[in-house]
Amino acid sequence: MAEHKHGDMDIREHEEMFHAFVKFMTWSVIVILAILVFLAIFAS
């Protein structure tokens, strides 16, 4: 069995996916809030 070396794993792909997820969630929240504001103003 190979020896485990702490901090030796390449995590670039994980970091890119995390940043993509954060960007997606940020835009999702912005769109949802815009829809809610639109409904609050025009659906009365």
Side-chain angles (χ1 to χ4, degrees):
M1 189 171 234
E3 284 291 319
H4 174 71
K5 295 178 184 173
H6 186 72
D8 197 32
M9 190 170 97
D10 182 20
I11 61 168
R12 275 180 291 179
E13 188 174 333
H14 295 217
E15 289 176 338
E16 290 171 9
M17 187 58 147
F18 176 74
H19 291 300
F21 172 75
V22 170
K23 184 185 284 189
F24 171 75
M25 291 307 298
T26 301
W27 281 106
S28 297
V29 169
I30 290 170
V31 168
I32 290 168
L33 288 176
I35 291 170
L36 288 174
V37 168
F38 177 82
L39 288 174
I41 293 172
F42 295 108
S44 55

